[in-house]
Amino acid sequence: MKNKYFSVFMVLIVSSLFSLSTAEAVPVYLNNTNMTVEVGSGTSPGSFNNTFSNGNTIGKVIDAPSATAEEFHNQTTHIWFTAAQLGGGLELKFNFNQSYDISMLHFWNYTSESYDVDNIDFTFFNNTNTQVGSLSISPDLGSTPGIKAQDILLAAPLNVQFVTAFLTGSNKQVDFQNIGFTAEVSEVPLPATIWFFISGVFGLFHYRKKLNK
Ligand SMILES: [Ca+2]
Ligand SMILES: [Ca+2]
């Protein structure tokens, strides 16, 4: 009887450890609740126009509550940067606070060609700030009158914690509402100590079985 309980106990421990290592990752929307953003030092000379009027901060670029949220264009919701020179743009730096596998970009662009964002260069970094990839996308015009996100498949590398985005307009104008990402928490390999413990538990289990023969 005692041995029966011991076996059940061991099976429970091993299966819970195993489920730790194989937990199904769930896609999450990354916004101001689970990532941070700042204006990067790579931002070109230019003007932020009315972007920071009335105490507004760059936080309004990641404040969409969901990937399907609708936003209306006004000074409390949009970001508007004008580069001094052609090719100049706005650099944003995102920190996810842990490693994610990004699958989708959500981008709320301005609604007319005269101000919208025409190109975004992304650079991806892992948790040690080592560059692991880069790619460029050309977003569509935003929807009107309510601006909804364009969902863009992002073939980003796995295990990304930091992202740099460089946004430009073909006419120096960079106006948009939000950036967000859909991503899954990267799978963390089990530390060697846990594998050592698992194999120890198996060893003990077999040893008990042998004794009981
Ligand atoms: Ca916004
Ligand atoms: Ca444009």
Side-chain angles (χ1 to χ4, degrees):
M1 205 58 182
K2 229 175 152 188
N3 288 332
K4 206 174 167 189
Y5 285 130
F6 180 77
S7 304
V8 170
F9 175 67
M10 282 306 160
V11 166
L12 278 178
I13 284 194
V14 169
S15 57
S16 63
L17 281 171
F18 190 68
S19 71
L20 260 184
S21 67
T22 57
E24 274 288 301
V26 180
V28 290
Y29 177 63
L30 300 180
N31 63 4
N32 55 7
T33 65
N34 39 24
M35 70 172 174
T36 59
V37 65
E38 60 184 64
V39 175
S41 56
T43 299
S44 311
S47 165
F48 277 94
N49 306 294
N50 56 21
T51 296
F52 300 125
S53 301
N54 304 313
N56 283 298
T57 70
I58 196 64
K60 63 184 167 175
V61 78
I62 55 170
D63 66 350
S66 74
T68 54
E70 186 178 43
E71 219 171 64
F72 290 87
H73 181 85
N74 63 52
Q75 280 191 25
T76 68
T77 62
H78 82 138
I79 286 80
W80 177 23
F81 175 78
T82 307
Q85 310 221 312
L86 218 55
L90 164 65
E91 184 185 78
L92 295 178
K93 301 191 109 170
F94 302 89
N95 180 357
F96 300 159
N97 302 309
Q98 60 177 313
S99 297
Y100 279 95
D101 300 340
I102 306 169
S103 53
M104 190 84 81
L105 166 74
H106 310 279
F107 192 70
W108 289 250
N109 207 353
Y110 186 65
T111 53
S112 93
E113 180 51 38
S114 41
Y115 292 98
D116 82 319
V117 174
D118 296 307
N119 189 78
I120 312 175
D121 293 330
F122 286 101
T123 316
F124 305 98
F125 303 85
N126 66 13
N127 60 356
T128 62
N129 236 323
T130 304
Q131 185 178 330
V132 289
S134 65
L135 59 88
S136 298
I137 62 117
S138 302
D140 294 342
L141 288 180
S143 59
T144 183
I147 300 178
K148 288 190 167 174
Q150 180 192 4
D151 301 333
I152 302 168
L153 282 173
L154 212 56
L158 304 179
N159 301 299
V160 168
Q161 181 175 340
F162 304 96
V163 176
T164 298
F166 189 70
L167 301 96
T168 52
S170 56
N171 59 352
K172 303 181 280 189
Q173 303 289 357
V174 173
D175 196 320
F176 65 107
Q177 303 287 127
N178 295 302
I179 288 186
F181 303 92
T182 293
E184 295 178 2
V185 175
S186 301
E187 246 182 56
V188 183
L190 279 186
T193 45
I194 290 191
W195 282 119
F196 183 74
F197 181 67
I198 289 179
S199 53
V201 165
F202 268 117
L204 194 59
F205 184 58
H206 281 290
Y207 180 67
R208 290 286 300 228
K209 269 185 109 172
K210 229 176 168 178
L211 278 184
N212 294 330
K213 268 182 183 168

